[in-house]
Amino acid sequence: MVKERKKLGLGLLSIAALFLFNPPLAGIWDLLPDVIGYLLLFVGLRDLSVLNYHMEDARRGFGRMIAVSAAQIPAVLWIMTGCQPKGRPDAILLLTFTVSCFELLFARKAFSDMFQGFLYLGSRHGSEAVFKRKKKRRYYTDLQDNATTAIATFTVVFLVIKALCATLPELAALTLDGYDEGNAFRWLYNFITLLRGTAMLISLPFCMAWLVKFLRYMHALLRDIPFLEAIREKYRAEILPRDDIFLKRALRIGAVILSIGICLSLDVYINFISFLPDFLCPIVLLIGFFLLKPYLADKGKLFPLCAAAHAISSAIVYQYSIYFYDHFTMSLALYAEKAYLAYCVFCALKIVDAIFFFAMMASLLPCFKHIAVSYTGFVSTMADGTVLVHEEKTSYIHDMLNKRIRVLWILSALTALGSIFYILFVRTVSFSWLVEFLSCLALGLYLIGTFRALLNEVEAKYLLS
C-alpha cells in the first residue's frame, strides 16, 4: 500500500514557483534552475494526476519541460567551454530561442491543463478557493470569472514576457555579420549587457507579480480544508487500493531514469576529455533502481555495490584523463618512457572501470527479468470474477522479453570491450573512439526499446485483468 501524502503535493507546487519565476541572466544563466521547478511540479501532481485527466496532461507537459531544462545545462556548459568565442553569441541566441519556444509550447499548455484540472476538481468537490471572486469573497460557479482563470491568464502573460525578454536582447547577435562597417547596427552587440539588463528590469516586475499571485493561490487551496478532505477521501477510496497504478507509474518513471543513466555513459570527447563524465551514469541508475526496488523482491542486491564501485572508478578515470592530457599526449606515449608509463596506468584504470561497468549491468539486468516474469503475461477476467491465466500466450510474452534481455547482456559486454578497445588502440587507430561510441549507443537504444516493450506488456496485462 502506497503512503498517502497529506497535502496531495500542493506544497511542492508552491516551492516549484520559486525556481521558475526568475528570468535568466545573460540569456542562459539561471540562478534558480528551471529543471528543479519543473521536477517539483511533475512530482507535486503525482497524486492529482490519477484523479483527473487534465492533471495527467499537465504532468506529461511538465515532464517534457524537465527534459528541455535538463538538456539546457550541458548546452550552457558547452557554450562557455567548448564553443569558439566568435560563435558564442549565435550559440546563445539559438539556445535561448529554442528553450523559449519549448517553454511557450509545453509549459504554457501544462500550466493551462493544471488550472483546468483544479477547475474540474473544484466544481465536483465544492472548492471555495478555486472559484473565489476577487471582489466578492463568496463561492461562485462562473468558470469565466474566478481566481483560477485569473491566475491561469496571468501565467500565460508571465511565460510570454519571460520568453521575450530572454530572447530579444540576443537578437543583437544577428548584427555582428552581414552589415557594412558604417552601419550603426553593426555595433549593436557592443551594448548587449545594457540590452540584457534592460530586458531583465522589464521582466522582473511581471515575474515577481506572478510569483506572489501563484503563491497566494496555492495558499488559498491549502486552506480550503473541505476541498482537500474531499479529494483525499476520493483518493483513499478509488486510488490507494489499486496497486497496479503505482506499479505502472514506477515503471514509467524508472524506465526514463534508467534510460537517461545509460545514455550518460556515451563518451563524446572534447579535447580528448569526455564531455559527460561517466560517473554520472551509475548515479542516475541508482536513482532509477531505488525507485523500482519495491517491485524487485530480492533481485539486484549487488547492484548498489557495483554501481558505487563503477562511480568511483569512473571518477578516478575522469580525473586521471585530465591529468594525462595536461601533461602528455597519446603520440608522445609512443616513444617517451614517462608518457608511456602514464599511458599504461591510464589503460589499467580504464580496463578496471570497464569491468565494473559490466558488473553493474550484470547485476541490473536480472531485475528486468524479474519484472518481465512477475508483471507481464496474458490474463483475462470472466464475468463471475474468475481470473484466467493463458499459459501459452504468457510463455510467448516472457520468451520475447527474455530474448531482449539476453541481447542486453551481449551489448553490455560489447560496450565494456569497446571502452577497452578505445584506450588500447587510441594511439594507433583513428576510429577507436567510434567503436566505443557506437557500442554504447547500441546499448542505450536497445535498452530504450526493451523498456518500451516491457511497459507495453505490463499495461496490457493490467488492462485485460
Side-chain angles (χ1 to χ4, degrees):
M1 186 69 69
V2 177
K3 185 178 179 181
E4 177 190 352
R5 294 189 293 179
K6 183 178 179 181
K7 297 181 180 179
L8 295 173
L10 294 179
L12 294 179
L13 304 186
S14 301
I15 301 174
L18 298 175
F19 288 90
L20 297 176
F21 86 97
N22 62 305
L25 296 174
I28 55 175
W29 294 109
D30 198 357
L31 298 181
L32 298 173
D34 285 353
V35 64
I36 299 178
Y38 289 119
L39 182 61
L40 290 173
L41 288 170
F42 183 83
V43 176
L45 294 179
R46 185 187 69 184
D47 293 339
L48 296 177
S49 64
V50 295
L51 295 173
N52 173 254
Y53 72 93
H54 289 298
M55 293 296 189
E56 184 179 358
D57 291 341
R59 194 166 186 258
R60 191 178 298 114
F62 290 132
R64 296 190 183 105
M65 283 308 304
I66 291 173
V68 172
S69 302
Q72 185 181 5
I73 296 175
V76 170
L77 295 177
W78 176 78
I79 288 173
M80 304 312 298
T81 59
C83 184
Q84 294 295 329
K86 184 177 180 181
R88 192 168 294 163
D90 293 330
I92 293 176
L93 171 60
L94 179 60
L95 176 63
T96 305
F97 178 76
T98 302
V99 172
S100 296
C101 288
F102 278 122
E103 196 163 31
L104 292 177
L105 181 64
F106 296 141
R108 181 198 58 78
K109 186 179 185 305
F111 274 111
S112 177
D113 288 332
M114 183 182 73
F115 292 122
Q116 285 293 326
F118 282 128
L119 288 172
Y120 177 90
L121 294 174
S123 64
R124 282 153 179 78
H125 300 286
S127 173
E128 182 177 351
V130 169
F131 295 105
K132 182 174 65 178
R133 299 184 69 186
K134 186 174 182 181
K135 295 182 179 179
K136 297 180 180 180
R137 305 293 181 178
R138 64 181 178 83
Y139 184 85
Y140 190 67
T141 57
D142 183 3
L143 297 181
Q144 303 302 320
D145 182 15
N146 54 65
T148 304
T149 54
I151 186 61
T153 302
F154 198 81
T155 299
V156 174
V157 174
F158 155 71
L159 291 173
V160 171
I161 291 177
K162 183 181 176 183
L164 289 177
C165 290
T167 306
L168 290 179
E170 305 308 321
L171 293 176
L174 301 177
T175 67
L176 289 174
D177 298 306
Y179 290 89
D180 296 332
E181 293 292 332
N183 195 322
F185 290 104
R186 173 67 174 77
W187 308 105
L188 186 60
Y189 197 80
N190 292 339
F191 303 97
I192 186 62
T193 303
L194 177 62
L195 294 173
R196 289 169 176 169
T198 302
M200 179 167 292
L201 289 176
I202 295 173
S203 63
L204 193 58
F206 289 94
C207 295
M208 292 294 296
W210 175 80
L211 176 64
V212 173
K213 289 178 178 292
F214 189 85
L215 292 179
R216 289 179 62 183
Y217 178 77
M218 287 299 158
H219 180 66
L221 286 180
L222 291 172
R223 294 183 63 183
D224 194 349
I225 304 301
F227 172 59
L228 294 182
E229 285 297 332
I231 294 180
R232 277 197 290 265
E233 184 58 35
K234 181 179 178 65
Y235 189 81
R236 295 188 197 103
E238 299 181 10
I239 306 302
L240 284 180
R242 295 185 56 187
D243 292 335
D244 60 298
I245 291 179
F246 303 100
L247 167 65
K248 290 185 285 187
R249 175 194 291 168
L251 288 179
R252 291 191 201 102
I253 301 175
V256 172
I257 294 176
L258 291 174
S259 300
I260 292 174
I262 291 296
C263 291
L264 287 174
S265 64
L266 284 170
D267 286 320
V268 179
Y269 295 100
I270 298 177
N271 295 327
F272 300 99
I273 305 296
S274 180
F275 177 63
L276 295 173
D278 285 344
F279 59 79
L280 295 177
C281 169
I283 294 174
V284 176
L285 289 180
L286 276 172
I287 297 174
F289 170 79
F290 283 113
L291 182 65
L292 295 175
K293 194 174 186 301
Y295 306 99
L296 298 180
D298 58 345
K299 301 298 181 181
K301 290 183 177 180
L302 293 178
F303 175 75
L305 180 62
C306 295
H310 178 49
I312 294 172
S313 64
S314 298
I316 294 173
V317 169
Y318 185 73
Q319 290 296 323
Y320 191 84
S321 65
I322 295 175
Y323 161 79
F324 181 86
Y325 288 111
D326 280 345
H327 295 81
F328 311 104
T329 62
M330 283 298 178
S331 58
L332 187 63
L334 291 171
Y335 55 86
E337 182 178 358
K338 187 176 180 180
Y340 179 73
L341 292 175
Y343 168 72
C344 290
V345 174
F346 199 177
C347 288
L349 293 175
K350 191 79 171 177
I351 291 172
V352 170
D353 183 54
I355 293 173
F356 280 137
F357 172 81
F358 181 73
M360 178 184 70
M361 294 302 299
S363 60
L364 180 63
L365 292 179
C367 300
F368 300 163
K369 185 175 181 180
H370 173 76
I371 293 173
V373 172
S374 303
Y375 304 112
T376 65
F378 194 90
V379 298
S380 58
T381 304
M382 305 298 292
D384 58 357
T386 304
V387 177
L388 299 179
V389 179
H390 301 265
E391 295 292 344
E392 183 177 350
K393 294 181 179 179
T394 298
S395 178
Y396 171 79
I397 292 172
H398 290 171
D399 289 342
M400 181 269 293
L401 293 174
N402 287 332
K403 286 179 182 179
R404 297 191 68 94
I405 294 172
R406 285 194 290 271
V407 174
L408 287 175
W409 279 90
I410 298 173
L411 292 176
S412 299
L414 291 177
T415 301
L417 292 175
S419 181
I420 296 173
F421 179 86
Y422 166 77
I423 195 62
L424 292 179
F425 295 97
V426 65
R427 298 177 301 164
T428 55
V429 180
S430 60
F431 59 85
S432 60
W433 68 271
L434 188 60
V435 174
E436 180 186 28
F437 179 82
L438 290 179
S439 60
C440 190
L441 181 63
L443 173 63
L445 294 177
Y446 200 83
L447 182 71
I448 293 173
T450 302
F451 276 135
R452 288 178 61 89
L454 190 60
L455 287 171
N456 288 338
E457 295 301 333
V458 172
E459 293 276 358
K461 175 181 178 179
Y462 286 98
L463 179 64
L464 293 173
S465 62

